Amino acid sequence: MSTRLSKGGRLIDRQKAVEFSFNGKTMYGFAGDTLASALLANDQMLVGRSFKYHRPRGIVASGAEEPNALFNMGSGGRFEPNQRATTTELFAGLQVASQNHWPSLEFDVGAVNNWLARFLPGGFYYKTFMYPRAAWKHVFEPIIRRSAGLGRAPEGYDADRYEHAYGFCDVLVAGGGLAGLEAAMEAGQSGKRVIIMEQTAHLGGRDAAGDLVKSITQALGKLDNVQMNLRCTVAGVYDHGYVLVDEKVADHTPGDGRPKHRLWRIRAGQIVSATGAIERPLSFAGNDIPGVMLASAVRDYVLDYAVSPGDRTVVVTNNDDAYRTAFALKDAGLAVPCIVDARAEVSGDLAAKARSMGIRIEVGTGIAKVQGGKRVTGVSLCLQAGEGAILEEIACEAVAMSGGWSPVVHLWSHCGGKLIWDDAQGHFRPDPKRPPTGHSGAAMVHCVGSANGDHLPAVEPVWIMPQGAGVALKSKMWLDYQNDVKVSDVQLAAREGYESVEHTKRYTTLGMATDQGKLSNINGLAVLAGALNTPIPQIGTTTFRPPYTPVTFGSLAGESRGEIFQPLRRTPIHAWHETNGAYFEPVGLWRRPYCFPQAGESHDQAIEREINNTRSNVGLLDASTLGKLIVRGPDAGKFLDMLYTGVMSTLPVGRCRYGLMCNENGFLSDDGVVVRLDEDTWLCHTTTGGADRIHAHMEDWLQCEWWDWQVYTANVTEEYAQVAVAGPKARALLEKLGGLDVSGNALPFMTFATGLLGNLSVRIYRISFSGELSYEVAVPASFGQELWDTLLDAGAELGVMPYGTEAMHVMRAEKGFVMIGDETDGTVIPQDLNLDWAISKKKTDYLGKRGQERNFLARPDRWKLAGFETLDGSVIPDGAYIVAPGHNANGQRNTQGRVTSTYRSPTLKRGIAMGLITGGMDRMGDVVEFNTVAGGTVKAKVVDPVFYDKQGAKQNV
């Protein structure tokens, strides 16, 4: 049976039939239909089962607030659960299946729960299945787990792709209805850059076909500074004008090669929320039977899609707006047996028009009960102020209900906007005196149109029907359709002491479904207020959290899946390393050359050759992976003084300084060379794996604690390639290229210079991590390979040779340079590593200072850094501990320290190690024992951790 009307349907194209299937049954719709309108056109009133009682459920709404019509959609690699029919555009070949039933939608054995409803009241989850514990674990828990959830999780690999996009604008308009279009026009004509995000496939909202909408849309299309996007839902608004938008790119055209979804990250100067309002249901017995719908939804289906939910529709309301639905039904040739109006008096133009059209109006009346099971067959009327006595019964196939309208205030509330109760219209609306504010303190979000409560009808404060009914009758009235929360559940919560709406929400699961309470929350808190005899504003609202509607995991992940779930990071010189046989090691997400073995060489032999060559000739290290963070602004020096243990604000322009960073507890978190580029700009080098983490650390403190400091940070790690040129012939190599003066006088240790090196524009730092004469040369990333090739060609006669990370580690250990991540493990402070010299004695504060003053960290018997040489020249095993006399309570030997770095030194021809030991350098000369994997020990002498060129003569030439 089809319920498609012969006329109307402003959003459908009757010339384009579309075939789809529902539960394996072939059905037909038109281009422009939503899945919901197509199902109604095929007279499919029953679409699913409720979560708890498995009651029959039908389509209630026409938009994102729909709680019932959730389907498993697609198959194989395009299978998705919980897809909302009201926001899914119909397309050829669409396959959907209803959820939460067995063995079939029409006959569901889970419906037995409906007969057990008296044993499953609100809060039964918390009261039942707790004792005896054995019964819970072995009997109840498996049943609950099998019953939990809606739909089923996809099992196959997602066949679609997703992408992320970024945008910037002066004004972002969320919602393309008439109010949003007018706001966009005003901003666009003033020259501002405007982005409109509309969640449906049409601009104009319920006025999509109006002449005014068409004229405004055409005018906006002529403005180059205005961008209009369809199928885009503004999912969340965050601090500093950060907006997240989910765009459905190819949801309705699967497999066409485009990404299925696009996740937009937008920075906006101002956000205009033109998100409209949502009509609320009324609570009466049987208000969940398929065919009971929101009055606005009935109107949408009739006008937009030429779909009739039934030949005879009873309208029940507490406000004027529902009368427009009655008019639309009559104009479509359908019957409206009665408008049931709960208000004691009804007057005005709409009521007069209804009577002139021959529509019967019953005032002061409510619905006692909806008749029917899997679809509406009629209604029983009663006095709204009475006890539910039946006045008469009216046959009908649909009920159009309207309990008033609630502005969509989610985006206003996401970042702190407050609400105020409107008694006349019966809803919470934005409080203009308490808006969400931006960095400047000005309002960041502005609500317009019905999202601001404008032009919405006044309502009678009616939430349940009839008002005087007893608990037995109220138990059949539904608030949350998906979670099966009844009026009586909320009243029970009130009797049991849950006076906070947030507590009631969790106790009853009200509003915790996929629609996030868009239909149920206001009604629920009104019922709670009534049960507590408390004004609604004092009850408050639940918290509106993003996203506004569910966002698929695919959108959030974007391209981060499969092989690029965590994309490998490669330097600009990576291809050369691969071609020349580099053996790579993972360092965070980077792949760095561990060594460059030649034919017939083991890795150990390659490392020894690289070290010996660098110590005697010149070596090249790809140091592009080192973190590079720009810190700029009038307060940048003050900021860095708080982050580092040393003073960075006094660093002269053109100079470099080693710096340590600690966390709030005083433990070392990173280190690196800080460079003063100009009066307001510093460049902070970090460890390879620390760039993203330290940048986030900086932003965290700037946004949360020092938000009024004028500091800008940027991670520029991948913008530059950087090559370390180390060894006694390093200066000769650079001088051979010509350009910058790199002599000891012109470029002394811990300085930098900018200029030309050969034909390349470079920045050269005179720093060393090898203990040799060393320069680090930085160029824009696109010139990284050219720099590397130039150095190799020019250095051929000087014995130039690349070296990898392991040679770098050995050489730094020979010099006694500590390595964050090797010498540290999250429990080490600078003082443990003899780095007191890097802690300013002048500063009164820095991050971690107070932590380091705690008794535990300041006590003298902490393990501290020292060097170790084995008596037999062997290499101490990695991870070895220094044993101490005696055993602990578990029979294990006591320890007094551990090794942190251990290598065979090609320079010294023996094993060397650094480690932490009780007493540290005060123990020099002592002989200690390290345990071995085999169960024995190896003896070593405590020595100075600087094994090579202690005076630094080689690096300072």
Side-chain angles (χ1 to χ4, degrees):
M1 174 182 174
S2 173
T3 59
R4 186 79 70 175
L5 301 172
S6 60
K7 62 178 181 178
R10 55 193 180 188
L11 298 184
I12 60 173
D13 184 350
R14 294 179 185 266
Q15 303 305 310
K16 296 180 180 179
V18 178
E19 180 180 307
F20 70 102
S21 70
F22 174 74
N23 286 351
K25 180 182 178 182
T26 299
M27 296 182 178
Y28 295 91
F30 291 126
D33 265 323
T34 65
L35 175 57
S37 65
L39 288 171
L40 289 173
N42 284 270
D43 198 37
Q44 186 65 50
M45 302 300 290
L46 175 62
V47 297
R49 295 281 180 164
S50 64
F51 175 67
K52 185 173 170 184
Y53 298 124
H54 289 246
R55 287 176 64 89
R57 288 286 191 253
I59 296 167
V60 173
S62 59
E65 68 273 20
E66 171 59 41
N68 293 337
L70 303 176
F71 300 128
N72 291 325
M73 189 169 78
S75 60
R78 292 199 168 93
F79 173 82
E80 288 185 279
N82 289 323
Q83 295 305 292
R84 190 168 276 107
T86 51
T87 57
T88 298
E89 294 179 53
L90 193 68
F91 59 86
L94 174 62
Q95 298 175 351
V96 293
S98 53
Q99 303 178 153
N100 204 44
H101 54 72
W102 184 85
S104 70
L105 174 62
E106 288 73 20
F107 179 75
D108 179 15
V109 297
V112 67
N113 289 354
N114 193 42
W115 300 100
L116 302 174
R118 62 180 298 180
F119 303 108
L120 304 173
F124 86 98
Y125 307 98
Y126 308 105
K127 300 175 181 177
T128 319
F129 311 142
M130 295 177 65
Y131 299 100
R133 292 190 180 274
W136 159 250
K137 183 170 183 61
H138 299 294
V139 179
F140 302 129
E141 182 181 8
I143 296 173
I144 293 296
R145 291 195 181 279
R146 280 195 298 270
S147 303
L150 287 171
R152 57 185 177 88
E155 297 177 357
Y157 187 84
D158 195 333
D160 291 299
R161 66 184 183 90
Y162 306 82
E163 67 180 24
H164 290 173
Y166 299 84
F168 306 87
C169 62
D170 299 309
V171 178
L172 184 140
V173 180
L178 184 57
L181 294 176
E182 289 176 337
M185 177 61 74
E186 181 181 348
Q189 288 178 334
S190 69
K192 295 180 179 179
R193 184 178 178 183
V194 180
I195 298 177
I196 303 172
M197 291 293 185
E198 164 58 36
Q199 70 177 354
T200 71
H202 309 277
L203 292 170
R206 288 195 163 93
D207 302 301
D211 292 337
L212 180 58
V213 168
K214 291 179 181 178
S215 64
I216 295 177
T217 302
Q218 291 172 355
L220 287 170
K222 297 176 181 178
L223 297 177
D224 294 336
N225 55 318
V226 176
Q227 175 182 339
M228 294 181 284
N229 295 330
L230 300 176
R231 302 182 178 93
C232 292
T233 300
V234 178
V237 174
Y238 305 84
D239 292 340
H240 309 290
Y242 182 71
V243 182
L244 208 63
V245 180
D246 185 30
E247 179 183 4
K248 295 181 177 180
V249 181
D251 257 22
H252 57 298
T253 57
D256 69 354
R258 297 184 299 164
K260 185 171 185 176
H261 284 241
R262 181 180 294 123
L263 191 72
W264 286 87
R265 292 180 168 94
I266 300 175
R267 289 286 183 182
Q270 296 286 313
I271 296 107
V272 174
S273 178
T275 47
I278 292 175
E279 191 172 28
R280 296 190 300 262
L282 287 163
S283 293
F284 44 81
N287 65 337
D288 65 330
I289 294 174
V292 179
M293 304 171 67
L294 296 175
S296 59
V298 171
R299 189 158 75 241
D300 289 341
Y301 290 119
V302 169
L303 297 178
D304 292 340
Y305 306 104
V307 170
S308 163
D311 290 340
R312 294 164 297 179
T313 301
V314 170
V315 177
V316 55
T317 184
N318 65 357
N319 65 87
D320 283 352
D321 188 77
Y323 282 70
R324 295 185 173 90
T325 297
F327 303 156
L329 290 166
K330 289 289 285 186
D331 290 341
L334 301 170
V336 181
C338 183
I339 296 178
V340 179
D341 199 319
R343 296 173 292 182
E345 295 182 5
V346 177
S347 60
D349 294 342
L350 293 177
K353 181 178 179 179
R355 292 187 175 101
S356 70
M357 296 176 70
I359 301 175
R360 171 189 170 195
I361 302 174
E362 288 293 336
V363 298
T365 306
I367 291 183
K369 182 180 180 181
V370 178
Q371 299 164 0
K374 296 176 182 176
R375 64 189 308 150
V376 172
T377 59
V379 295
S380 300
L381 303 188
C382 63
L383 293 175
Q384 171 59 19
E387 294 296 328
I390 305 300
L391 297 177
E392 67 172 300
E393 295 183 350
I394 300 176
C396 61
E397 293 84 38
V399 176
M401 59 182 168
S402 179
W405 291 78
S406 296
V408 177
V409 295
H410 298 64
L411 303 185
W412 170 272
S413 302
H414 281 173
C415 51
K418 304 302 180 184
L419 304 175
I420 188 171
W421 177 254
D422 188 315
D423 259 328
Q425 296 178 351
H427 59 227
F428 282 99
R429 60 177 175 80
D431 185 351
K433 297 180 180 179
R434 298 179 293 168
T437 56
H439 190 71
S440 64
M444 184 174 66
V445 181
H446 306 270
C447 291
V448 297
S450 55
N452 194 45
D454 300 338
H455 314 304
L456 293 178
V459 301
E460 189 82 14
V462 170
W463 310 100
I464 58 178
M465 288 184 167
Q467 199 70 39
V471 173
L473 188 57
K474 290 182 183 179
S475 68
K476 302 174 184 178
M477 303 174 182
W478 304 91
L479 293 169
D480 188 316
Y481 292 104
Q482 195 177 110
N483 275 349
D484 281 331
V485 180
K486 307 182 295 293
V487 168
S488 61
D489 294 328
V490 173
Q491 293 170 333
L492 175 63
R495 292 197 302 274
E496 297 194 348
Y498 292 92
E499 299 183 2
S500 163
V501 66
E502 291 284 7
H503 292 162
T504 297
K505 171 182 175 178
R506 284 153 181 80
Y507 184 68
T508 63
T509 69
L510 176 76
M512 294 176 68
T514 60
D515 67 325
Q516 286 295 290
K518 292 180 177 64
L519 293 185
S520 60
N521 278 357
I522 297 296
N523 289 7
L525 69 89
V527 171
L528 179 64
L532 297 173
N533 197 27
T534 302
I536 290 177
Q538 291 186 26
I539 296 295
T541 65
T542 54
T543 303
F544 296 98
R545 295 185 178 91
Y548 172 67
T549 57
V551 176
T552 179
F553 287 133
S555 290
L556 298 176
E559 297 288 354
S560 299
R561 53 189 288 189
E563 291 185 355
I564 56 173
F565 175 68
Q566 283 191 319
L568 294 183
R569 304 174 76 174
R570 298 173 172 87
T571 74
I573 313 169
H574 186 91
W576 187 95
H577 300 326
E578 284 185 325
T579 302
N580 288 271
Y583 176 77
F584 291 98
E585 69 165 337
V587 184
L589 296 181
W590 293 97
R591 292 298 179 266
R592 300 191 69 184
Y594 178 83
C595 62
F596 295 87
Q598 297 179 356
E601 275 187 334
S602 67
H603 288 173
D604 289 341
Q605 290 169 336
I607 293 163
E608 184 166 338
R609 170 179 51 77
E610 293 168 11
I611 293 170
N612 289 335
N613 184 75
T614 303
R615 294 286 191 215
S616 58
N617 295 310
V618 59
L620 301 182
L621 173 76
D622 184 358
S624 306
T625 62
L626 294 178
K628 308 168 194 72
L629 307 179
I630 291 290
V631 180
R632 175 181 296 159
D635 296 318
K638 177 172 65 172
F639 174 60
L640 292 177
D641 284 349
M642 287 300 297
L643 290 184
Y644 287 96
T645 61
V647 178
M648 296 300 169
S649 59
T650 61
L651 181 63
V653 175
R655 300 285 299 185
C656 309
R657 183 171 291 165
Y658 177 71
L660 298 173
M661 275 192 195
C662 300
N663 61 23
E664 301 92 309
N665 291 316
F667 300 122
L668 276 165
S669 63
D670 208 274
D671 70 342
V673 173
V674 179
V675 182
R676 182 80 173 266
L677 298 178
D678 59 42
E679 285 300 321
D680 281 342
T681 309
W682 284 255
L683 173 64
C684 303
H685 288 95
T686 74
T687 55
T688 290
D692 294 337
R693 174 174 53 85
I694 296 302
H695 186 228
H697 173 68
M698 289 179 172
E699 283 297 310
D700 186 27
W701 282 93
L702 282 174
Q703 293 183 30
C704 298
E705 298 297 332
W706 304 317
W707 53 269
D708 55 340
W709 289 8
Q710 297 183 58
V711 181
Y712 166 80
T713 70
N715 186 346
V716 296
T717 299
E718 296 185 40
E719 292 186 25
Y720 295 93
Q722 199 153 310
V723 178
V725 184
K729 299 179 182 179
R731 182 175 292 135
L733 173 53
L734 297 186
E735 288 176 339
K736 188 176 179 181
L737 297 178
L740 279 169
D741 185 352
V742 295
S743 65
N745 291 330
L747 192 61
F749 190 58
M750 296 302 280
T751 64
F752 79 92
T754 302
L756 288 176
L757 185 66
N759 296 321
L760 292 170
S761 179
V762 302
R763 184 186 294 141
I764 301 180
Y765 309 100
R766 177 75 190 281
I767 54 181
S768 177
F769 199 51
S770 62
E772 297 292 333
L773 171 65
S774 178
Y775 303 84
E776 292 199 11
V777 184
V779 294
S782 57
F783 293 95
Q785 185 62 58
E786 183 178 349
L787 171 64
W788 185 265
D789 292 339
T790 300
L791 291 168
L792 285 174
D793 292 343
E797 62 184 30
L798 300 174
V800 71
M801 187 181 293
Y803 65 94
T805 55
E806 187 65 6
M808 174 192 72
H809 280 292
V810 175
M811 287 190 286
R812 69 90 191 169
E814 291 174 342
K815 274 291 294 180
F817 294 151
V818 300
M819 189 87 169
I820 301 298
D822 283 21
E823 274 63 61
T824 64
D825 63 355
T827 66
V828 173
I829 61 176
Q831 295 87 337
D832 297 338
L833 302 182
N834 308 323
L835 294 175
D836 307 65
W837 58 269
I839 301 175
S840 172
K841 307 300 187 294
K842 300 177 181 178
K843 292 197 306 185
T844 58
D845 201 8
Y846 59 84
L847 287 182
K849 179 177 175 62
R850 285 185 289 278
Q852 292 163 7
E853 293 171 348
R854 290 179 297 176
N855 291 339
F856 176 74
L857 297 185
R859 71 187 194 188
D861 61 341
R862 285 183 62 80
W863 292 358
K864 296 195 173 183
L865 188 73
F868 300 92
E869 291 182 357
T870 58
L871 300 186
D872 59 5
S874 63
V875 178
I876 297 171
D878 281 318
Y881 277 83
I882 307 171
V883 297
H887 294 74
N888 62 22
N890 296 321
Q892 300 165 322
R893 294 195 66 172
N894 291 327
T895 60
Q896 55 179 322
R898 62 180 177 85
V899 69
T900 58
S901 297
T902 175
Y903 308 97
R904 184 187 183 277
S905 167
T907 307
L908 305 175
K909 309 298 183 185
R910 65 173 184 268
I912 63 171
M914 289 190 289
L916 299 170
I917 185 173
T918 304
M921 296 285 286
D922 294 338
R923 300 280 298 277
M924 284 181 61
D926 287 0
V927 175
V928 296
E929 294 182 58
F930 286 85
N931 63 0
T932 65
V933 176
T937 60
V938 57
K939 292 184 178 181
K941 183 168 65 174
V942 181
V943 298
D944 192 313
V946 183
F947 300 95
Y948 172 77
D949 188 25
K950 184 173 178 61
Q951 303 305 318
K954 298 198 60 137
Q955 72 181 17
N956 293 324
V957 295

